[in-house]
């Protein structure tokens, strides 16, 4: 069936007695399959408007799913109608707006392929090709090119959103970055305000800021031609606590020193990945556009600095170069687990500085204690061009961090839920013990990342800081998000455990 045929057939409706239903309710995180009364598979903006209007008229709770990669049950808990956007995948050049139009159900890998094959351009979005743009962009997504190019929302020119007025009328609104646009605030809310709060995103338009041209190939950054990747790998068998502390201290201090936008290392994306002792081990990796002058030397210098003084001998160290599109769109790249191991819990943080000696010792204790534990820590280099944008210019308030942290566990059996979630919660709480178990913004922390949603931040058992979850995600941008919520979703139609609340 062609795209025209799919769009002309109308929105499909799938209910619990339909054999397609089990396949439709199971997202990436198998902890939250959901039990909606019906699923609407939409293919056009008009179908989204109709589906939203119908649900509102019936008083049914509605939610939306793009790529299905949410880490919490924000699209399943109490939802009666689920809008599935996965067939709205168009990527095209819009000559009227001089921007690239991307439909809300497209995956990152599909976007990378189309932009690259047609125009040789790209956007600085995430590393996992199966993630949907619908939630990724609105949450302020980032990826391996962000240190060099900025956050993905820095390229958002316009957005089309289906909203619901106070009288229950559903309508599509296009909001742009132009300051005189009457819907400019709605555009701003979609530059980091998080998904599922203001309406249903049906289309994004992407264009480099302050650029206008008749040539589409000049409207977004040129994509790399070749992508250099490297990694150093250690086994836990030789990694002493002293070596671990040295490695962590080196890693954090390197990003403290090399995260200015004009740094020669701004093009280098680095990461640390460590599992529990019962897992595979530890690694430090890096990526860089191989056309950057001295790319190989820059990567070697990074590895030299991070491994300096680490007594534990690595199992391997090396670099390789592949075509950029091959790695940026390789199926399943970056996704946790496998088809049968997909029960996931994640907790996140922004770091303005590397972890302290006490925090590193705490991390080591949790990664080496006990017999089995699926916990892993991922530190991702951030900053660079991201930090050149004013924290109020977009809804992404974290504009001077140098790293992001992801504490994650992935396992297979439901019977292990309580144990594995508990172990991860305790690790995160202990790392941030001095600030009430969460990364309260201060000189070293800068809150958390809304796309790695974590309901524990709103739970006083795990957040004892007295700082609300809204501040951890949005800082002082939150009141503006509330005002926008009141204007475009006054009936709180689009809501979940971590959605922006209406003002009192």
């Amino acid at each position: 069936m062609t795209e025209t045929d799919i769009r002309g057939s109308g929105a499909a409706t799938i209910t619990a007695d339909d054999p397609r239903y089990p396949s439709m309710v199971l997202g990436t995180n198998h902890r939250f399959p959901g039990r909606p009364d019906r699923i609407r598979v939409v293919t056009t903006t008009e179908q989204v408007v109709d589906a939203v209007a119908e649900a509102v008229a019936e008083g049914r709770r509605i939610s939306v799913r793009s790529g299905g990669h949410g880490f919490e049950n924000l699209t399943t808990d109490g939802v009666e109608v689920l809008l599935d956007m996965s067939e709205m995948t168009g990527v095209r050049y819009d000559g009227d707006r001089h921007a690239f139009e991307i439909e809300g159900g497209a995956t990152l890998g599909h976007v990378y392929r189309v932009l690259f094959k047609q125009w040789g351009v790209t956007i600085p979005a995430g590393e996992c090709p199966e993630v949907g743009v619908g939630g990724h962009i609105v949450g302020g997504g980032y990826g391996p090119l962000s240190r060099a190019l900025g956050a993905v929302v820095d390229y958002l020119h316009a957005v089309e959103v289906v909203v619901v007025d106070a009288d229950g009328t559903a309508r599509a609104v296009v909001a742009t970055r132009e300051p005189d646009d009457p819907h400019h605030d709605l555009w701003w809310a979609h530059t980091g305000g998080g998904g599922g709060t203001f309406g249903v995103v049906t289309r994004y338009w992407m264009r480099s800021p302050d650029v206008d041209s008749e040539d589409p190939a000049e409207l977004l950054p040129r994509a790399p031609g070749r992508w250099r990747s490297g990694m150093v790998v250690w086994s836990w068998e030789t990694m002493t606590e002293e070596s671990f502390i040295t490695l962590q201290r080196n890693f954090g201090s390197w990003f403290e020193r090399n995260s200015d936008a004009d740094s020669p290392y701004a093009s280098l994306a680095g990461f640390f990945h460590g599992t529990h002792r019962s897992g595979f081990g530890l690694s430090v990796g890096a990526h860089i556009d191989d056309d950057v002058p001295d790319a190989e030397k820059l990567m070697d210098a990074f590895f030299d600095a991070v491994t300096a003084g680490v007594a534990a001998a690595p199992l391997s160290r090396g670099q390789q170069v592949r075509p950029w599109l091959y790695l940026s769109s390789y199926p399943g790249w970056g996704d946790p687990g496998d088809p049968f191991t997909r029960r996931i819990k994640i907790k996140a943080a922004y770091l303005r500085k590397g972890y302290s000696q006490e925090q590193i010792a705490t991390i080591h204790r949790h990664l080496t204690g006990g017999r089995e534990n699926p916990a892993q820590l991922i530190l991702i280099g951030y900053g660079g061009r991201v930090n050149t944008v004013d924290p109020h210019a977009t809804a992404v308030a974290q504009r001077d961090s140098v790293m992001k942290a992801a504490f994650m566990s992935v396992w297979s059996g439901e019977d292990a839920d309580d144990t594995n979630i508990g172990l991860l919660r305790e690790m995160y709480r202990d790392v941030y013990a001095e600030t009430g178990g969460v990364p309260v913004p201060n000189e070293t922390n800068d809150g958390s990342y809304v796309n790695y949603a974590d309901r524990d931040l709103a739970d006083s058992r795990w957040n004892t800081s007295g700082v609300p979850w809204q501040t951890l995600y949005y800082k002082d941008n939150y009141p503006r998000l509330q005002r926008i919520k009141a204007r475009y979703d006054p009936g709180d139609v689009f809501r979940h455990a971590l959605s922006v609340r209406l003002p009192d």
Side-chain angles (χ1 to χ4, degrees):
M1 181 177 285
T2 66
E3 181 178 291
T4 301
D5 293 331
I6 292 173
R7 292 178 183 272
S9 63
T13 301
I14 299 173
T15 55
D17 58 353
D18 191 303
R20 295 172 292 179
Y21 187 84
S23 296
M24 297 300 298
V25 297
L26 192 62
T28 290
N29 193 346
H30 291 183
R31 290 174 56 209
F32 309 116
R35 293 292 299 176
D37 296 336
R38 62 174 180 259
I39 300 159
R40 300 297 300 275
V41 183
V42 291
T43 57
T44 67
T45 298
E46 293 73 23
Q47 290 176 11
V48 174
V49 171
D50 291 344
V52 170
E54 180 183 56
V56 171
E58 295 175 354
R60 292 177 180 265
R61 173 88 178 277
I62 188 169
S63 189
V64 60
R65 181 178 65 196
S66 175
H69 278 68
F71 289 116
E72 288 283 15
N73 59 339
L74 305 184
T75 63
T76 58
D77 188 15
V79 171
E80 296 165 300
V81 178
L82 179 63
L83 284 187
D84 185 289
M85 308 284 292
S86 60
E87 300 307 320
M88 291 186 68
T89 60
V91 180
R92 58 186 68 88
Y93 174 64
D94 184 336
D96 293 332
R97 295 191 184 276
H98 292 183
F100 294 94
E101 175 189 323
I102 302 173
E103 291 188 322
T107 60
L108 294 177
H110 178 62
V111 172
Y112 296 149
R113 287 189 292 270
V114 176
L115 291 180
F116 183 80
K117 292 177 181 179
Q118 295 293 324
W119 301 282
V121 299
T122 193
I123 54 176
E127 192 172 16
C128 302
E130 305 304 320
V131 166
V133 299
H136 179 74
I137 293 177
V138 69
Y142 74 102
L145 290 172
S146 289
R147 278 171 52 87
L149 301 176
V152 70
V153 295
D154 300 336
Y155 294 80
L156 180 62
H157 176 70
V159 60
E160 181 180 71
V161 192
V162 174
V163 300
V164 178
D165 295 334
D167 62 0
T169 300
R171 61 191 176 101
V173 175
V174 174
T176 75
R177 71 159 60 242
E178 302 302 329
D180 59 350
D181 184 339
H183 299 296
H184 177 78
D185 268 359
L186 186 62
W187 167 86
W188 184 88
H190 286 79
T191 62
T197 279
F198 307 99
V200 182
V201 175
T202 48
R203 289 185 286 180
Y204 293 105
W205 285 267
M206 309 301 290
R207 188 172 84 194
S208 295
D210 303 320
V211 173
D212 197 3
S213 172
E214 297 292 333
D215 183 357
E218 296 179 351
L219 295 175
L220 281 174
R222 299 297 298 176
R226 299 174 302 170
W227 196 233
R228 179 175 292 273
S229 300
M231 191 171 293
V232 186
V233 180
W234 293 267
S235 166
W236 271 115
E237 292 182 4
T238 59
M239 181 63 67
T240 64
E241 181 174 3
E242 181 180 0
S243 286
F244 181 83
I245 290 173
T246 300
L247 177 62
Q248 280 289 305
R249 188 187 300 116
N250 289 348
F251 188 88
S253 63
W254 189 92
F255 281 98
E256 290 176 28
R257 298 191 310 271
N258 296 287
S259 293
D260 292 337
D262 59 356
S263 166
Y265 294 97
S267 295
L268 187 141
F271 66 88
F272 165 85
H273 182 210
T275 69
H276 182 263
R277 184 180 292 275
S278 57
F280 90 93
L282 309 100
S283 61
V284 170
H287 305 290
I288 192 170
D289 181 345
D290 199 46
D291 289 330
V292 170
D294 296 321
E296 183 178 4
K297 292 181 179 179
L298 290 171
M299 188 173 289
D300 262 337
F302 167 69
F303 288 145
D304 287 344
V306 172
T307 60
V310 177
L315 296 174
S316 63
R317 171 175 167 169
Q319 300 184 30
Q320 56 182 332
V321 179
R322 293 287 186 271
W324 180 80
L325 190 63
Y326 174 79
L327 288 180
S328 66
S329 61
Y330 191 85
W333 182 262
D335 264 3
D338 57 46
F340 306 100
T341 309
R342 294 304 277 266
R343 303 184 75 82
I344 305 167
K345 176 65 179 176
I346 194 167
K347 305 174 79 65
Y350 284 94
L351 285 75
R352 285 172 160 151
K353 295 181 179 179
Y355 283 126
S356 68
Q357 178 99 0
E358 293 76 14
Q359 288 176 308
I360 295 171
T362 298
I363 292 168
H364 182 269
R365 173 167 56 84
H366 279 274
L367 291 182
T368 57
R371 296 183 59 187
E372 292 188 8
N373 187 342
Q376 51 188 295
L377 172 66
I378 308 169
L379 298 175
I380 308 107
Y382 200 54
R385 183 77 174 273
V386 172
N387 290 352
T388 63
V389 177
D390 186 275
H392 302 108
T394 66
V396 177
Q398 292 85 0
R399 292 289 187 167
D400 64 357
S401 297
V402 300
M403 290 187 290
K404 290 192 184 191
F407 297 72
M408 184 166 62
S409 285
V410 186
W411 64 98
S412 59
E414 183 178 359
D415 57 342
D417 282 4
D418 290 345
T419 297
N420 292 334
I421 294 171
L423 289 169
L424 195 71
R425 283 171 166 166
E426 290 165 5
M427 179 180 177
Y428 187 81
R429 177 200 62 196
D430 293 351
V431 169
Y432 292 102
E434 290 189 359
T435 52
V438 295
V440 173
N442 58 23
E443 64 177 11
T444 59
N445 309 318
D446 207 18
S448 190
Y449 177 45
V450 70
N451 275 358
Y452 296 163
D454 178 14
R455 294 180 66 164
D456 294 344
L457 300 185
D459 188 334
S460 59
R461 293 173 298 176
W462 298 104
N463 177 2
T464 61
S465 70
V467 176
W469 63 266
Q470 295 95 330
T471 299
L472 298 175
Y473 283 134
Y474 304 116
K475 301 170 66 177
D476 58 357
N477 281 339
Y478 187 65
R480 183 177 178 184
L481 289 169
Q482 287 187 287
R483 293 192 295 272
I484 299 169
K485 170 77 168 179
R487 177 180 174 187
Y488 290 98
D489 186 24
D492 204 20
V493 171
F494 303 100
R495 64 188 187 275
H496 52 71
L498 297 176
S499 59
V500 173
R501 304 292 191 250
L502 288 167
D504 291 336

